[in-house]
Amino acid sequence: MKFRLSSLHSAACIALLGSSLHAQTWQSIASFPANSTPREYATAVESGGVIWIVGGTPLDGSGNARVHKLYESNGTLTTAALPLEGGALHGGVMLDSLERILVFSGLEGSTEGDDYWWTEADGNNGSFASRSSQAPKTYFALATDEDGLVYSLGGGPGASATAGNQNKARVERYDANANAWTVRAALPTPVADAAACSDGEGHILVIGGYGATGTLTANVARYDVASNTWSDTAIDDLPVALAGASAVLGVDGRVYVIGGTNGTAQNSTWILDAGATSWHAGPSLLTARQHAAAVLGNDQFIYVFGGGTGTNERIATPLCPRVEIDATSLDTFLGEPFGMSITVSGTPPFTYRWRHDGADLYDGVQVGGSLVSGAMTPTLGVLQSSTSDAGAYTCVITNACGSTTSPARTVTLRQTPPLPTTFSSRSLHPAGALNSHANAVDDGIVAGDGLYPDPMYTSLYHPITWDAQRIASDLTPANSVGGSINAMRDGVKAGWFWWPVWTPQGTGYYQHACAWSAADVHADLQPQGWETGTINNTDGVHHVGWAFYDADHSIAVDGVYWASSAPFDYTLLTGGGNFGTSGANMGALDGGRLFGTLFGVTPYDATMWRKPASGPWTTTDIAPATSYGSYIADAQSGLQVGRATMLGVTQAGLWGGTSNSFVRLTPSTATSAEATATRDGVQVGFATVATNTTHAFAWRGTAASALDLHAFAPGGFSTESAADLEIDAFGTVTIVGSGTNTVAGRVEALEWRGNPRALSTEVEQVSVAAGATVNFTLYGGQQHAGKNWTLLAAVSSATGGSSLRQLLVGSSGTGQSAILSQQAGALDALGFASAHVDIPAGAVTSPLNLIAVFYVREPNGTLSLKSNLSVTRLVP
């Protein structure tokens, strides 16, 4: 509806830049057909792209006024077939909430004319309820509020008012649905021949006019629709006293007061910015005008017709910038990229300026060494982030309306966990399988698939999980013959299974997207009517993947987002459908944002999907500028990984959420690479380092940090790839994937595990008032597998020194410290073990350090490994 004014503009517009108004100028448009005859006292209303200019002078020989219409699409101005019945002089015309043109005839000679609604086809099309007898018959102002209710405001004899025949403060309101008028609170100051309009913020403004006894006034009265109250002080007076002006609310949220008279017709425009209380001068009219017809067009222009002249003009009222930004906080990792983008609506062109903690940003190297790009675009990228880059980021967007500042986005930067310098590894290949893959790791559990012989289909993949002891379990549903687990988070596994189809020819199977709960309960999540599909990734609640409408004939793949593991709780994010020509593949999700690729662009581009507070999903192309084909496979903590083809080479890529935050991870020794997963600032994937030779790799945000995991693979493996990783509370890095076992002649699921510290704890400080347990992870490396270890732990107020070292090997020292625990065991097949120290309640009465170390010895007692010291603060 025309009257929902608050939806047309934003109160977020702030003070205008000095140059902004210069973009607004009045432009001449088509004159009235008989432009030699001045037009005055007409009213304009807009409906469906047509502006109707109704009533006023000149009158024809029967005393009737012309009606003209202007087509906004082409600027054509024509005369309507039927005139008004009367002139509507000193009355007016309004569009009500039913889209009817209401004609208030005012006085015709010494009597009041008829009030009726007018149509082009029939002219007078019937009466509507009349105002009360106490409502003045002339020079009353008309306005509508945001619900389309029509207001009659003040009125009277106008400039000829006297003490005995004063202008009035009467206010009445018309509801078209009820066809009834009600009396509202009276104006605080009587007025006639004033201008009036809604301010789009729940108020009606009555501006200027003649006071009670005919004196010009600059007063502005504001009516609060909700409370039915008036104020003469909420808005400053106009800078000059005026009557016979026109008031229009622009799309930009400003109120424009146009023309009028202070004894002489004016060419002024006075503007009240959204949310402001004082007026400033706007562009001057091309022609001075009083009692002109003015209206906001559907094309964002304000049109002014006549006003003592036969000419007409218009001015643009650009929509102020309205901004949507990514989530208002970003917690990511030092040294790694981050980016942010804004979505702006309004009237272009726009200019942009990103700010960091209030200071303008510029492209190039920053003080802390990071590299900024896009500082004057909607998309900001920061590479090689430093501690100096933490803080609040805003963007100032400016157009002809003014400037709007986006909500701040606060960036927190954490240290990336260190990568171990050595890993232990093992094959997880389940017995009886022909091939196997480890695709996911979560909370110490591994998931993937195994290829098993099948009597009907020769061989089929089955979904497999490996528990903490790496014992394999087959999760194939009872009515199926196989499937695969592609991803796992918070115990939820996601992938696909073979769904049975019973036909007269026998049982067949379609690949269906599915998930298993943490309790391994299976759910078929295939979109209804789409024959095949899979889930590529999950965050434990939501899932993403793809589906084909027709497995045999579709050439388009549809991206799919599942809001939960409930049946049918999904959204198709592309409309390729059957025999479509484009589509998407969803690969990752992070904090409400989805990632993957959109086909049919170049030929496919890395894409981000976002769901605004209202409206459909939106897409943002975040492919690197020089890429030809890119895809995002995983995302976490504001980082995304995948691949991008550049100059014919597939590059492993790391994104910070925007196209200009892309970082190549391909090792310098590799000819191609791809990143498959990111966790806590560490990435994994694979790279081709020689002809047909692929190695698994790990990174910490840069190509220079690349760690070739082939060096730590089990013996006999020629090629490997990494699919997922996990970093636990002790800093242990677990990477899973697969590799080719040249001895066995098959692909086998693989696991790498390592810790940058031989001895690590899950916390740096612990409260022990009620007692506590401090857990440790011991990592001796695979070369020490099976050897005996001993953990020594003590409490002390010191953290080092010779006396402390003596204490840790058993000396009582000064008696101020005591041995709390001495545990022993054997390292497992990967060189890992766990231990703990129990602190009884009340054992610590002041803050102390729990210091621990472990030793590994050969069977003959020779010391073969001494770990680092681990210090945990104990707080009573």
Side-chain angles (χ1 to χ4, degrees):
M1 291 293 293
K2 180 74 172 180
F3 307 99
R4 294 175 185 170
L5 299 174
S6 60
S7 68
L8 297 177
H9 38 76
S10 168
C13 291
I14 61 172
L16 295 170
L17 297 185
S19 62
S20 297
L21 285 175
H22 295 188
Q24 284 183 291
T25 57
W26 288 97
Q27 308 165 10
S28 179
I29 59 173
S31 298
F32 288 113
N35 64 355
S36 60
T37 304
R39 188 76 180 273
E40 194 169 3
Y41 293 109
T43 309
V45 294
E46 195 279 341
S47 179
V50 176
I51 295 175
W52 302 89
I53 306 99
V54 183
T57 60
L59 303 179
D60 63 18
S62 301
N64 297 326
R66 296 287 188 187
V67 177
H68 292 92
K69 57 181 179 180
L70 180 134
Y71 294 93
E72 298 170 64
S73 60
N74 58 22
T76 302
L77 184 63
T78 63
T79 302
L82 294 177
L84 293 187
E85 292 182 2
L89 298 179
H90 316 311
V93 175
M94 288 304 294
L95 198 71
D96 69 11
S97 59
L98 301 179
E99 295 284 318
R100 300 181 303 177
I101 296 176
L102 305 183
V103 178
F104 299 82
S105 291
L107 286 179
E108 294 183 6
S110 61
T111 62
E112 184 179 6
D114 293 335
D115 294 343
Y116 58 91
W117 61 287
W118 181 92
T119 66
E120 184 178 22
D122 300 315
N124 185 333
N125 204 42
S127 63
F128 61 93
S130 297
R131 298 176 300 149
S132 74
S133 60
Q134 298 182 51
K137 310 309 178 191
T138 59
Y139 288 117
F140 50 88
L142 290 169
T144 54
D145 65 18
E146 294 164 56
D147 293 320
L149 301 177
V150 177
Y151 290 75
S152 168
L153 304 146
S160 62
T162 64
N165 184 21
Q166 296 187 8
N167 293 318
K168 306 299 183 184
R170 183 77 171 184
V171 177
E172 298 186 12
R173 185 171 75 184
Y174 177 68
D175 184 339
N177 291 299
N179 190 29
W181 290 88
T182 57
V183 178
R184 308 304 291 167
L187 285 157
T189 305
V191 73
D193 204 8
C197 73
S198 168
D199 69 354
E201 298 177 354
H203 310 113
I204 300 288
L205 303 185
V206 178
I207 304 157
Y210 295 102
T213 57
T215 303
L216 273 172
T217 178
N219 184 64
V220 178
R222 189 179 79 173
Y223 176 71
D224 187 286
V225 174
S227 64
N228 187 30
T229 58
W230 287 92
S231 171
D232 267 349
T233 59
I235 303 296
D236 293 349
D237 288 355
L238 281 175
V240 295
L242 289 173
S246 303
V248 181
L249 176 65
V251 174
D252 52 9
R254 300 168 177 160
V255 172
Y256 291 73
V257 176
I258 303 159
T261 179
N262 61 0
T264 304
Q266 301 293 298
N267 67 350
S268 59
T269 305
W270 297 103
I271 297 177
L272 179 70
D273 294 331
T277 59
S278 59
W279 301 83
H280 59 83
S284 296
L285 290 159
L286 300 176
T287 302
R289 301 172 188 272
Q290 60 183 356
H291 300 117
V295 69
L296 175 67
N298 198 46
D299 55 4
Q300 302 181 7
F301 282 87
I302 290 176
Y303 289 80
V304 178
F305 302 92
T309 174
T311 63
N312 308 308
E313 51 191 296
R314 70 177 187 174
I315 190 171
T317 64
L319 188 65
C320 292
R322 288 177 292 181
V323 186
E324 291 184 11
I325 194 169
D326 296 335
T328 54
S329 63
L330 174 62
D331 188 355
T332 190
F333 295 91
L334 273 172
E336 308 207 12
F338 67 86
M340 56 193 72
S341 61
I342 54 173
T343 301
V344 180
S345 59
T347 303
F350 302 105
T351 62
Y352 306 88
R353 169 62 71 191
W354 285 94
R355 292 176 175 173
H356 176 216
D357 288 338
D360 287 352
L361 281 172
Y362 296 87
D363 288 354
V365 178
Q366 308 300 298
V367 172
S370 61
L371 181 63
V372 163
S373 63
M376 297 179 69
T377 74
T379 301
L380 180 72
V382 180
L383 305 182
Q384 304 165 24
S385 60
S386 73
T387 54
S388 300
D389 297 315
Y393 288 80
T394 57
C395 188
V396 180
I397 307 98
T398 303
N399 69 351
C401 167
S403 298
T404 298
T405 300
S406 70
R409 190 174 195 200
T410 302
V411 175
T412 303
L413 296 169
R414 292 179 282 153
Q415 288 286 349
T416 304
L419 274 173
T421 57
T422 185
F423 283 85
S424 299
S425 65
R426 59 180 161 184
S427 170
L428 302 181
H429 190 72
L434 305 176
N435 289 317
S436 60
H437 305 87
N439 299 326
V441 57
D442 174 59
D443 197 24
I445 307 301
V446 178
D449 55 45
L451 181 68
Y452 290 88
D454 185 274
M456 182 174 295
Y457 298 98
T458 306
S459 62
L460 290 172
Y461 277 100
H462 288 204
I464 301 294
T465 60
W466 290 265
D467 64 14
Q469 286 71 48
R470 298 307 183 248
I471 298 173
S473 297
D474 190 333
L475 297 189
T476 301
N479 63 343
S480 179
V481 291
S484 177
I485 298 172
N486 297 328
M488 177 171 55
R489 289 292 177 263
D490 292 337
V492 173
K493 303 113 188 144
W496 60 272
F497 79 113
W498 289 116
W499 177 72
V501 180
W502 289 274
T503 70
Q505 291 76 31
T507 302
Y509 296 87
Y510 283 131
Q511 179 181 321
H512 271 202
C514 69
W516 292 261
S517 71
D520 293 341
V521 177
H522 178 261
D524 183 352
L525 301 183
Q526 181 68 17
Q528 190 173 26
W530 269 248
E531 285 188 349
T532 64
T534 191
I535 293 176
N536 290 326
N537 220 325
T538 181
D539 62 10
V541 176
H542 319 91
H543 324 296
V544 292
W546 57 263
F548 271 117
Y549 181 82
D550 184 326
D552 295 323
H553 298 100
S554 284
I555 59 174
V557 58
D558 288 300
V560 187
Y561 165 71
W562 288 266
S564 71
S565 293
F568 312 118
D569 193 11
Y570 61 83
T571 301
L572 293 168
L573 291 176
T574 51
N578 194 19
F579 300 102
T581 57
S582 63
N585 185 7
M586 318 298 293
L589 63 171
D590 178 28
R593 298 184 297 170
L594 314 180
F595 301 90
T597 195
L598 195 62
F599 296 109
V601 186
T602 62
Y604 59 95
D605 271 6
T607 302
M608 175 174 65
W609 284 258
R610 288 182 291 185
K611 183 70 168 65
S614 61
W617 287 89
T618 63
T619 60
T620 303
D621 190 324
I622 60 173
T626 59
S627 66
Y628 189 79
S630 52
Y631 172 69
I632 290 174
D634 194 32
Q636 190 240 9
S637 295
L639 298 173
Q640 305 87 41
V641 293
R643 64 177 184 268
T645 301
M646 298 177 169
L647 299 177
V649 177
T650 301
Q651 305 278 356
L654 173 66
W655 284 263
T658 60
S659 60
N660 58 355
S661 62
F662 177 81
V663 174
R664 300 185 195 187
L665 296 179
T666 305
S668 59
T669 57
T671 56
S672 66
E674 183 171 343
T676 56
T678 180
R679 285 291 176 271
D680 298 325
V682 175
Q683 300 81 40
V684 297
F686 53 88
T688 302
V689 295
T691 303
N692 297 323
T693 302
T694 300
H695 289 179
F697 273 83
W699 298 270
R700 292 180 72 235
T702 64
S705 68
L707 178 64
D708 190 339
L709 298 176
H710 175 72
F712 313 109
F717 279 79
S718 58
T719 64
E720 312 86 27
S721 63
D724 197 14
L725 78 155
E726 178 177 54
I727 304 176
D728 68 15
F730 300 95
T732 300
V733 179
T734 302
I735 300 171
V736 298
S738 58
T740 301
N741 185 334
T742 56
V743 176
R746 64 194 179 198
V747 175
E748 297 183 1
L750 289 177
E751 175 186 37
W752 293 262
R753 294 188 73 203
N755 196 309
R757 296 173 64 84
L759 181 63
S760 57
T761 60
E762 59 190 339
V763 291
E764 295 181 354
Q765 179 173 298
V766 62
S767 174
V768 296
T773 296
V774 179
N775 296 302
F776 296 90
T777 281
L778 288 60
Y779 178 52
Q782 208 161 10
Q783 68 273 27
H784 296 300
K787 295 178 182 178
N788 292 325
W789 58 268
T790 302
L791 175 76
L792 299 177
V795 291
S796 174
S797 58
T799 58
S802 59
S803 61
L804 179 61
R805 286 195 292 272
Q806 292 174 357
L807 172 66
L808 291 176
V809 295
S811 170
S812 63
T814 63
Q816 296 176 347
S817 303
I819 300 292
L820 296 181
S821 175
Q822 180 171 323
Q823 297 185 352
L827 298 174
D828 67 14
L830 291 181
F832 280 89
S834 59
H836 65 272
V837 171
D838 295 318
I839 313 294
V844 175
T845 58
S846 62
L848 292 174
N849 295 316
L850 171 64
I851 305 169
V853 66
F854 80 89
Y855 298 89
V856 175
R857 297 185 181 277
E858 301 292 339
N860 63 6
T862 303
L863 180 67
S864 58
L865 172 67
K866 176 185 176 182
S867 77
N868 56 285
L869 292 179
S870 170
V871 180
T872 304
R873 188 71 167 167
L874 305 179
V875 180

